[in-house]
């Protein structure tokens, strides 16, 4: 990577101070002749025929609902800033979910502001404009457009997102002078928060964050379509992995991770979370993301992965697959038990049901199996009351899904875990059994086997729809599917 010179950090001085050189840059400075040359000779690249982003109508409706909830208050929702990975390199940017949900925009440093106006609010999206060519910013600044790519102009942004756009570099000063009640979504933009430090309270800001989280509990049609896209790409990613299991055996779990990542980057924005490619006993580690272990014939592979779409909606699917394509007797016994538990859990997902019902249904089946196998003393009611099954089931049976893999996490307990399912909610159902390699309370042949089966379930008017039904789940169907892919 070539090192670029950079502008001073404060925009107020950018026109007055000379552009700073980075230490150890190869050029000692910029000649007046070169500076003048770089100002001219550039074509007009303004895009004049832009259509609104596909979700523009939905984001407008979401802003209207937010406006109605907080009348008379200024609401500030930042996208966030780039984060340094090391020295002068940054992590790939991902806008805050709250900001992207309300705008459809995904660029760093953006801020949505809803200003009280009459009985509602006027929205403005604050963004970085095109790089300044007069002062050399566009080619000398490390974030100039010649280094990192073209940005949309403010006029283009207004057309895309249906929101008046302004220069974000002026926003902090405006917010410092603002009067009246203000709320901000915290944790994304320290500069914006500093400008509001004497105007906001943690309690009021948390109310805003909670409301925005609860807004996402029920998905609109656009969101459901995006979730299905994410799942469909994820299904293809699982197929990709099965086709190269021989190469993974010759290398490591990293080959599986990389194979799925290729699908995610080609068809989507990224993976929605760190891929879990857990072979053998690693399947018993719930969040195994090192993915540096061996892949051996005769072992199981637990693959928990999801493609994230360009609009940030992610799938979250798990399949446990025999590396050689065939379950042995004990693997099949454990797998089939988890499959029965998942079937019971999915059957409990329907409008009007308690959110907890699918978890309770799946846990009951697993507890029954553990008692039947003699691993824990019954009766089943006692096991469930004391939570004794959790030694081997470990986690809850699912969670809400959306723009975050664990979506709506800030919602109140009474509206989420203790709430009731409604059409449009999307959640995972993912029971599992995990027998640690060093667990002396189970027979030796169980040790080191971990199984999880996870699907993405949409609550419908008359029950549910399995968005990931294209991936086989029953053990015999899994074997046949793998055989067909291996040719």
């Amino acid at each position: 990577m070539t090192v670029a010179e950079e502008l001073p950090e404060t925009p107020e001085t950018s026109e007055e101070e000379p552009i700073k050189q980075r230490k150890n840059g190869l050029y000692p400075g910029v000649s007046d002749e070169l500076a003048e040359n770089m100002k001219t000779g550039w074509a007009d690249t303004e895009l004049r025929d832009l259509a609104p982003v596909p979700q523009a109508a939905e984001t407008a409706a979401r802003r209207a609902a937010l406006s109605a909830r907080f009348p008379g208050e200024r609401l500030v929702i930042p996208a966030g800033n780039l984060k340094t990975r090391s020295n002068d390199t940054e992590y790939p940017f991902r806008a805050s979910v709250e900001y992207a949900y309300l705008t459809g925009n995904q660029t760093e440093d953006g801020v949505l502001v809803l200003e009280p106006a009459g009985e509602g609010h006027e929205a403005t999206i604050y963004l970085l404009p095109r790089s300044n060519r007069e002062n050399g910013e566009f080619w000398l600044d490390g974030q100039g457009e010649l280094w990192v790519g073209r940005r949309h102009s403010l006029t283009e942004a207004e057309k895309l997102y249906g929101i008046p756009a302004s220069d974000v570099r002026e926003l902090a000063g405006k917010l410092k002078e603002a009067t009246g009640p203000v709320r901000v979504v915290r944790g994304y933009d320290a500069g914006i928060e500093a400008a509001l430090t004497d105007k906001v309270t943690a309690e009021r800001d948390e109310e805003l964050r909670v409301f925005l989280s609860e807004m996402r509990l029920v998905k609109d049609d656009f969101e459901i379509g995006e979730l299905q896209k994410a799942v469909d790409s994820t299904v293809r990613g699982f197929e990709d992995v099965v086709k190269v299991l021989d190469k993974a055996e010759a290398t490591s779990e990293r080959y599986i991770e990389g194979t799925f990542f290729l699908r995610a980057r080609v068809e989507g924005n990224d993976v929605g979370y760190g891929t879990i490619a857990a072979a053998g006993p690693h399947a018993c580690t719930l969040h195994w993301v090192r993915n540096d272990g061996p892949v051996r014939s005769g072992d199981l592979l637990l693959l928990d992965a999801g493609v994230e779409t360009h609009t940030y909606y992610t799938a979250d699917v798990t399949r446990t697959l025999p590396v050689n394509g065939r379950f042995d007797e004990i693997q099949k016994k454990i797998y089939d038990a988890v499959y029965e538990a998942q079937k019971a859990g999915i059957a409990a997902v329907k409008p009007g049901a308690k959110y907890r019902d699918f978890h309770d249904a799946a846990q009951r089946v697993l507890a029954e199996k553990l008692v039947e196998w003699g691993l824990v003393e019954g009766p089943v009611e006692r096991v469930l009351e004391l939570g004794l099954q959790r030694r081997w089931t470990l986690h809850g049976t699912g969670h809400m899904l959306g723009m975050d893999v664990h979506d709506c996490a800030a919602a109140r307990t009474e509206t989420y875990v203790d709430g009731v399912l409604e059409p449009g909610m999307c959640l995972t159902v993912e029971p599992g059994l995990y027998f640690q390699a060093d667990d002396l309370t189970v027979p030796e042949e169980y040790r080191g086997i971990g199984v999880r089966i996870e699907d993405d379930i949409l609550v419908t008017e008359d029950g549910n729809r399995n968005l990931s039904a294209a991936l086989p789940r029953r053990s015999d169907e899994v074997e046949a599917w793998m055989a067909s892919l291996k040719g």
Side-chain angles (χ1 to χ4, degrees):
M1 176 182 290
T2 307
V3 179
E5 293 85 350
E6 64 182 348
L7 289 168
E9 294 183 358
T10 56
E12 292 82 359
T13 61
S14 61
E15 299 289 343
E16 303 170 6
E17 297 182 9
I19 294 170
K20 294 190 295 188
Q21 303 282 327
R22 284 193 178 170
K23 186 177 182 180
N24 295 316
L26 292 175
Y27 290 106
V30 176
S31 68
D32 291 342
E33 289 80 3
L34 177 59
E36 285 301 314
N37 178 277
M38 292 296 288
K39 292 179 183 179
T40 60
W42 305 101
D44 177 11
T45 61
E46 183 75 7
L47 305 175
R48 294 178 172 81
D49 298 319
L50 290 174
V53 295
Q55 68 269 46
E58 285 81 5
T59 57
R62 296 165 194 167
R63 293 192 300 274
L66 178 60
S67 172
R69 171 61 179 82
F70 298 102
E73 302 185 54
R74 181 177 286 103
L75 308 174
V76 182
I77 301 96
N81 315 122
L82 288 171
K83 291 184 172 64
T84 299
R85 181 177 184 270
S86 180
N87 188 24
D88 60 350
T89 61
E90 292 86 21
Y91 288 104
F93 180 73
R94 188 183 191 276
S96 75
V97 163
E98 294 87 349
Y99 174 85
Y101 179 73
L102 293 168
T103 65
N105 177 257
Q106 299 176 7
T107 54
E108 65 269 17
D109 301 325
V111 184
L112 173 68
V113 179
L114 271 62
E115 298 274 358
E119 296 182 357
H121 289 79
E122 291 182 355
T124 303
I125 189 170
Y126 288 86
L127 301 166
L128 285 172
R130 297 290 307 278
S131 291
N132 189 326
R133 299 196 179 214
E134 189 64 26
N135 70 358
E137 172 195 353
F138 86 109
W139 71 285
L140 291 173
D141 180 27
Q143 293 300 318
E145 288 179 299
L146 280 191
W147 290 97
V148 299
R150 184 187 187 278
R151 294 193 287 268
H152 284 297
S153 71
L154 298 181
T155 301
E156 291 169 354
E158 290 182 355
K159 295 177 181 177
L160 286 168
Y161 308 111
I163 311 170
S166 292
D167 190 337
V168 72
R169 293 171 296 186
E170 302 169 359
L171 180 59
K174 291 181 178 179
L175 293 177
K176 286 179 181 178
E177 302 300 321
T179 59
V182 185
R183 298 178 192 253
V184 63
V185 177
R186 299 191 181 202
Y188 298 114
D189 193 318
I192 293 300
E193 289 181 38
L196 294 169
T197 186
D198 60 341
K199 298 175 173 61
V200 295
T201 67
E203 294 77 12
R204 288 164 51 79
D205 292 348
E206 179 64 10
E207 287 178 357
L208 173 60
R209 188 173 79 103
V210 167
F211 180 76
L212 288 171
S213 194
E214 293 184 359
M215 281 183 71
R216 304 199 307 276
L217 283 168
V218 176
K219 271 57 181 179
D220 57 40
D221 289 344
F222 175 84
E223 295 179 285
I224 293 169
E226 290 300 293
L227 285 166
Q228 187 66 68
K229 285 182 191 176
V231 170
D232 292 345
S233 289
T234 298
V235 169
R236 290 187 283 273
F238 274 69
E239 293 171 346
D240 295 339
V241 167
V242 171
K243 292 175 182 177
V244 300
L245 282 177
D246 57 333
K247 294 182 174 62
E249 287 187 64
T251 52
S252 74
E253 296 161 339
R254 292 274 169 96
Y255 204 96
I256 293 165
E257 177 187 348
T259 298
F260 188 85
F261 181 68
L262 177 61
R263 178 66 66 174
R265 287 292 282 166
V266 167
E267 294 192 0
N269 177 57
D270 205 331
V271 290
Y273 53 95
T275 296
I276 299 169
H282 289 162
C284 299
T285 301
L286 297 185
H287 290 164
W288 177 260
V289 292
R290 299 179 205 170
N291 299 336
D292 58 0
V295 179
R296 299 187 178 98
S297 179
D299 282 348
L300 297 178
L301 166 68
L302 190 157
L303 178 59
D304 185 336
V307 172
E308 176 186 84
T309 67
H310 294 292
T311 56
Y312 289 173
Y313 289 86
T314 185
D316 182 8
V317 177
T318 306
R319 288 295 182 268
T320 305
L321 310 172
V323 174
N324 63 11
R326 302 287 295 181
F327 293 99
D328 67 28
E329 184 178 355
I330 189 65
Q331 291 169 348
K332 185 177 186 301
K333 173 182 175 180
I334 296 169
Y335 183 95
D336 288 349
V338 174
Y339 172 67
E340 286 186 34
Q342 197 208 24
K343 277 208 310 181
I346 292 174
V349 175
K350 53 190 174 184
K354 294 179 181 178
Y355 174 84
R356 292 179 180 272
D357 286 352
F358 76 94
H359 168 72
D360 293 342
Q363 290 293 300
R364 176 170 291 277
V365 173
L366 295 178
E368 289 170 351
K369 295 296 182 181
L370 293 167
V371 171
E372 177 187 327
W373 298 341
L375 302 184
V376 63
E377 182 181 349
V380 170
E381 294 299 339
R382 168 183 171 272
V383 174
L384 293 170
E385 181 182 353
L386 299 176
L388 301 181
Q389 83 283 2
R390 292 182 62 187
R391 180 181 178 104
W392 303 286
T393 67
L394 298 177
H395 55 80
T397 310
H399 52 79
M400 291 294 182
L401 185 67
M403 296 181 84
D404 281 326
V405 65
H406 296 143
D407 207 29
C408 314
R412 293 167 295 169
T413 300
E414 58 265 33
T415 61
Y416 188 160
V417 174
D418 292 338
V420 174
L421 295 179
E422 300 177 37
M425 290 182 170
C426 188
L427 56 126
T428 67
V429 179
E430 51 175 312
L433 282 173
Y434 312 91
F435 298 103
Q436 305 298 323
D438 59 351
D439 188 350
L440 301 181
T441 70
V442 301
E444 186 175 357
E445 63 265 27
Y446 286 57
R447 298 174 198 165
I449 294 178
V451 173
R452 180 164 66 254
I453 310 172
E454 177 181 20
D455 285 274
D456 301 342
I457 310 298
L458 174 69
V459 183
T460 61
E461 294 288 345
D462 56 357
N464 69 67
R465 185 170 90 235
N466 185 348
L467 301 181
S468 44
L471 276 181
R473 293 184 294 136
R474 208 173 65 202
S475 57
D476 60 332
E477 293 175 343
V478 168
E479 291 176 339
W481 170 70
M482 293 183 69
S484 70
L485 290 172
K486 290 183 175 183

